[in-house]
Amino acid sequence: MVLLDVNFSKSVPLKKQSHLLYILEGLRVNNMPMMALVHPVYDCLFRLAQSDALKNEEEVDCLVLQLHRIGDQLEKMNLQLMDELFNLLRDGFLLQEDLSSMGHLLLLEILEFRAGGWTLSETAQKYYYSEVTD
């Protein structure tokens, strides 16, 4: 029996925490992500959703990228934690005064992505990912 005890605090750099997020996607048993990693991965995501991390555009980008990759799987494993995470993200989008324009856009996109059942409508896809032409 292997016990996994991962406790992420503010003392662990966010970039190092985000590496664990890639692990969930790769480690599988019977084609399902390892359940032992669900809470440590949520811990990483919650850390990336804190107000100090949301000020950093790279951290927001990392958070959004990971939610695109594994958000649907994580939600199926623990809906309550995903709801709590997205409440934090919504509050960050609405209340965080020093969020960059790109940070706002990234958070809005991931909020819409989840609301759409982990997919974007064609219209939303064009809005977020079409190049602006003059």
Side-chain angles (χ1 to χ4, degrees):
M1 180 168 157
V2 176
L3 294 177
L4 180 63
D5 181 19
V6 180
N7 183 8
F8 293 106
S9 65
K10 289 186 177 187
S11 64
V12 178
L14 290 172
K15 287 185 181 183
K16 288 188 180 190
Q17 290 179 22
S18 65
H19 293 297
L20 182 61
L21 300 173
Y22 291 103
I23 295 172
L24 182 71
E25 193 171 33
L27 291 176
R28 295 178 176 273
V29 175
N30 296 329
N31 206 28
M32 288 294 296
M34 291 181 60
M35 292 302 292
L37 293 178
V38 171
H39 286 283
V41 169
Y42 268 114
D43 289 345
C44 288
L45 294 172
F46 272 95
R47 179 62 191 102
L48 290 167
Q50 296 302 308
S51 62
D52 62 320
L54 292 178
K55 294 176 189 176
N56 183 326
E57 203 171 285
E58 286 182 17
E59 302 299 346
V60 176
D61 188 47
C62 177
L63 171 66
V64 169
L65 174 66
Q66 298 313 314
L67 286 169
H68 272 275
R69 293 179 70 171
I70 62 174
D72 186 32
Q73 294 173 19
L74 283 174
E75 183 174 67
K76 290 174 185 171
M77 291 181 242
N78 194 322
L79 177 61
Q80 181 181 351
L81 284 177
M82 188 60 73
D83 286 342
E84 291 174 23
L85 177 65
F86 270 78
N87 286 339
L88 267 179
L89 296 178
R90 181 204 59 222
D91 290 349
F93 173 78
L94 294 172
L95 305 174
Q96 186 98 14
E97 293 180 9
D98 47 1
L99 197 62
S100 69
S101 296
M102 181 56 78
H104 268 109
L105 185 69
L106 289 166
L107 289 178
L108 180 61
E109 189 272 345
I110 199 63
L111 291 167
E112 190 167 349
F113 187 68
R114 182 185 184 218
W118 298 101
T119 188
L120 286 175
S121 68
E122 185 177 331
T123 304
Q125 185 77 24
K126 286 179 184 175
Y127 176 79
Y128 292 110
Y129 297 107
S130 293
E131 292 189 29
V132 177
T133 57
D134 292 327

